[in-house]
Amino acid sequence: MAASQRPLISALMRASLSKSNATARRTLPPAFFQQTALRALATATTTATKPPSTDGRGTAVVLLNMGGPSKVADVHDFLSRLFADKDLIPLGPFQNWLGPLIARRRTPKIEHQYSVIGGGSPIRKWSEHQAAEACKLLDTLHPSTAPHRPYVAFRYASPLTEDTLKQIQADGLTRAVAFTQYPQYSCSTTGSSLNELWKWSKILDPDGKIKWSVIDRWPTHPGLVDVIARHVEATLATYPAEKRENVVLLFSAHSLPMSVVNRGDPYPAEVAATVHAVMQRLKQSNPYRLVWQSQVGPSPWLGAQTSATVENYIKQGQTDLVLIPIAFTSDHIETLHELDLEIIEESKQPGIKRAESLNGDPLFIEALADIAKTHLEAGQPCSKQMLLRCPMCTSERCAGQKDFFSSGKTKEIKA
């Protein structure tokens, strides 16, 4: 981002966010808030969007993510879609039977977890806020493709991909950018969302009136790296000076089944690239490890697991740890429950803390706008890296999706 643009962007962000952010405490035990009193989480209100375009002008900026149930009653539907996704959780030839069974059995436990963190996931609120604010900046940064209209498309929760696509059509837009909110590419996450978007485009837009381009990864974007590093520095500042340089940094990302990793998925390498860039920005100030969370089921997953790592460091006498969400762009159940409660709260160690998530940080929203601006300026449908399939990939969906987004044409392949 040009230095001459930063004062304008910062002024726009301050004016835009000053009215929409209000601090709020999460519905968690009092002891937890004593431990994390220095973390101020902002709650974004819904931001008004521009009136619909009816002449094809403008650009839809569509943030892709997995989503989360906005209320407890939505948990079962969310889990049903999640365990039906063969790209995310491959369960073999019995997936159509096992998926619903697992979803049904896990629903009560997951409903309780969402009730503890406030009755639902905040991911929709944050995603809509991030999209709206980034589009406001884009209107100034790249006026030739304005107005930029913000949309969110979730894979497993409302607003679902098909509903967002219908809204884009109703708004009369014919240009759209699919902007993944997974900074590091995986066939299980961004790939799954793009497969779903391709599937519904064939059904709802068979003539290809909407011209798509894709921002498929951004693991080392300087804005992303800087915001994460700033949040780490803010957390380290809460430790006594004599302990600070020996605090261990644990960068935690969602794990993957080893069957996906061994297929050649780029995700582990791209997450590691983000960690390396952040540590370079921090000038290698502290010892660190990359760890993996949220394993599901008995099959082998990428490790070391975050929870086991914390348990074993405590046994070794290392009780000053900072957990850093390195692959999430906002708070949701993996941060608010798994990291904050299951790991940090249950450890009963005051030296174990978590760095703030990206959420509504104005610098992060600047980064999103800059990523989109650079993409629009390049005029390319996607990155060259996206076109390269995993070496062991045999998925016809993957081949068809890549062909569609690179050329705008689709083959008759079962989605």
Side-chain angles (χ1 to χ4, degrees):
M1 185 179 297
S4 61
Q5 293 173 332
R6 183 166 292 277
L8 171 61
I9 292 173
S10 297
L12 285 169
M13 290 302 302
R14 287 194 298 270
S16 174
L17 294 176
S18 61
K19 295 182 180 180
S20 62
N21 282 357
T23 57
R25 296 178 76 89
R26 299 194 295 269
T27 308
L28 296 172
F32 175 76
F33 289 110
Q34 293 171 7
Q35 180 180 341
T36 58
L38 292 174
R39 180 182 302 148
L41 288 176
T43 300
T45 58
T46 301
T47 306
T49 58
K50 299 178 179 66
S53 170
T54 57
D55 58 2
R57 289 185 60 252
T59 305
V61 179
V62 186
L63 270 55
L64 306 178
N65 211 325
M66 69 182 298
S70 295
K71 55 184 185 295
V72 173
D74 297 336
V75 168
H76 180 261
D77 287 345
F78 170 78
L79 292 177
S80 295
R81 295 187 187 100
L82 188 145
F83 284 104
D85 184 1
K86 299 175 183 178
D87 295 316
L88 180 69
I89 302 177
L91 297 174
F94 301 106
Q95 181 130 15
N96 292 339
W97 178 81
L98 284 174
L101 176 64
I102 297 172
R104 187 166 58 251
R105 289 187 174 181
R106 287 181 63 85
T107 292
K109 176 182 177 181
I110 305 303
E111 285 179 337
H112 173 72
Q113 291 179 356
Y114 277 106
S115 68
V116 170
I117 64 169
S121 173
I123 191 170
R124 177 174 182 172
K125 170 186 63 186
W126 284 123
S127 297
E128 290 178 342
H129 177 75
Q130 292 162 348
E133 298 304 323
C135 281
K136 290 178 184 177
L137 297 184
L138 269 177
D139 286 347
T140 300
L141 292 171
H142 203 264
S144 63
T145 51
H148 299 91
R149 294 287 311 282
Y151 299 87
V152 171
F154 286 154
R155 185 65 179 84
Y156 313 114
S158 182
L160 293 167
T161 303
E162 59 267 35
D163 296 327
T164 297
L165 183 53
K166 290 175 185 176
Q167 187 61 56
I168 294 171
Q169 291 175 315
D171 290 346
L173 296 173
T174 57
R175 177 187 175 90
V177 177
F179 190 171
T180 182
Q181 293 306 288
Y182 305 101
Q184 305 90 4
Y185 185 95
S186 172
C187 300
S188 297
T189 53
T190 298
S192 176
S193 288
L194 293 176
N195 286 345
E196 190 76 354
L197 180 55
W198 168 57
K199 180 184 81 173
W200 283 106
S201 292
K202 290 198 302 178
I203 296 170
L204 299 175
D205 186 25
D207 297 328
K209 293 181 180 179
I210 300 175
K211 304 304 179 185
W212 287 93
S213 63
V214 181
I215 301 172
D216 50 88
R217 70 197 75 207
W218 34 285
T220 57
H221 184 272
L224 171 71
V225 171
D226 186 56
V227 174
I228 295 173
R230 285 171 181 263
H231 289 190
V232 173
E233 289 170 336
T235 308
L236 286 172
T238 67
Y239 290 86
E242 64 273 15
K243 289 186 173 185
R244 198 168 298 152
E245 66 180 14
N246 294 317
V247 175
V248 174
L249 307 181
L250 295 180
F251 294 90
S252 187
H254 202 295
S255 187
L256 278 183
M258 287 306 298
S259 60
V260 176
V261 175
N262 291 336
R263 192 172 63 211
D265 195 283
Y267 175 74
E270 294 193 9
V271 174
T274 307
V275 172
H276 177 73
V278 171
M279 289 308 302
Q280 290 290 93
R281 160 64 176 74
L282 293 171
K283 299 181 180 179
Q284 306 292 332
S285 62
N286 292 74
Y288 70 97
R289 284 292 186 272
L290 170 56
V291 291
W292 308 90
Q293 65 180 91
S294 310
Q295 175 176 327
V296 178
S299 62
W301 282 56
L302 185 63
Q305 287 290 306
T306 304
S307 56
T309 299
V310 171
E311 290 173 5
N312 281 281
Y313 273 139
I314 292 173
K315 291 177 182 178
Q316 295 175 20
Q318 178 63 51
T319 57
D320 290 330
L321 308 168
V322 175
L323 301 181
I324 305 153
I326 195 64
F328 305 130
T329 56
S330 71
D331 276 320
H332 46 81
I333 198 167
E334 281 86 355
T335 59
L336 299 178
H337 197 281
E338 185 175 357
L339 294 183
D340 289 352
L341 294 182
E342 295 177 37
I343 296 178
I344 296 176
E345 175 72 4
E346 291 185 11
S347 75
K348 295 179 171 55
Q349 297 291 336
I352 301 180
K353 307 178 183 182
R354 175 167 73 87
E356 179 75 54
S357 296
L358 302 177
N359 291 339
D361 190 312
L363 292 178
F364 175 60
I365 294 174
E366 285 185 27
L368 292 179
D370 185 62
I371 293 165
K373 169 182 171 287
T374 302
H375 170 76
L376 291 167
E377 288 177 340
Q380 298 297 319
C382 61
S383 72
K384 290 183 179 179
Q385 187 72 342
M386 178 179 149
L387 301 179
L388 182 65
R389 296 174 66 187
C390 295
M392 308 304 173
C393 177
T394 59
S395 170
E396 290 187 339
R397 291 192 309 280
C398 176
Q401 169 251 110
K402 291 181 184 298
D403 180 72
F404 172 75
F405 286 110
S406 63
S407 67
K409 300 177 182 179
T410 187
K411 297 178 181 180
E412 290 301 320
I413 297 174
K414 184 178 179 182

